[in-house]
Amino acid sequence: MPSKSLRILIADEQHFNRMKIERLFNQLDYFRVAPVQSFEELLNLVEYGCAPFDLLVINAGLAHGKLDLLDFCLDNEQLAHALIFDGQCAQLPVIAACERHKVQVSHALLPDLATVQRLMAIVDRPRPLVGTVISVR
């Protein structure tokens, strides 16, 4: 069952792309989605936000070479996970979705439903209950 508290940030210049990606998350019952259209908006939300984002889904071309997007996602404590799509345009290597990687890079022009499902299986894993004692006899 999806966690209703996950915060998802979608960053793409194209309104149609942002809406299409947001609908993929909505199909999977994730509704706390914030779409932004510029890198400046992204920086404002990430740097000045009160709580970290659980996932950033970003078009690799959005940074326009202003910074190393891969390093930005890896080093930013306000981002728990990231998916960089259209990574070929920024000459980024493909990094497949797995639990060891905080950042995934896809060369696909847009993420599809299967990609989002695989990603959310990592991002929205069940967390163990804190303070629960289980006795085994």
Side-chain angles (χ1 to χ4, degrees), residues 2-135:
S3 172
K4 302 294 184 190
S5 64
L6 290 182
R7 298 180 73 220
I8 301 167
L9 181 59
I10 299 171
D12 192 303
E13 289 178 322
Q14 300 297 317
H15 177 72
F16 175 79
N17 291 348
R18 292 190 309 272
M19 294 307 298
K20 187 169 183 177
I21 296 167
E22 184 174 356
R23 286 188 185 130
L24 293 175
F25 284 102
N26 294 163
Q27 287 177 20
L28 299 174
D29 292 330
Y30 296 99
F31 297 100
R32 275 186 87 185
V33 179
V36 296
Q37 71 178 4
S38 71
F39 195 70
E40 290 73 24
E41 284 180 287
L42 168 84
L43 288 176
N44 284 332
L45 284 175
V46 171
E47 297 301 321
Y48 301 113
C50 58
F53 283 93
D54 297 290
L55 175 62
L56 166 64
V57 179
I58 184 169
N59 185 320
L62 194 69
H64 298 293
K66 294 176 185 174
L67 60 80
D68 185 326
L69 192 54
L70 189 57
D71 285 344
F72 172 77
C73 292
L74 285 170
D75 296 336
N76 198 312
E77 293 180 11
Q78 290 290 93
L79 301 172
H81 299 275
L83 169 64
I84 302 171
F85 64 93
D86 198 11
Q88 191 169 5
C89 85
Q91 300 174 343
L92 295 173
V94 171
I95 302 173
C98 78
E99 292 181 24
R100 296 176 304 165
H101 300 294
K102 174 181 176 177
V103 178
Q104 285 79 50
V105 177
S106 169
H107 283 188
L109 294 177
L110 277 176
D112 60 8
L113 184 59
T115 300
V116 171
Q117 286 174 319
R118 282 191 303 273
L119 182 61
M120 294 315 292
I122 295 166
V123 173
D124 195 11
R125 312 185 278 252
R127 293 175 179 90
L129 297 174
V130 177
T132 303
V133 178
I134 301 172
S135 67

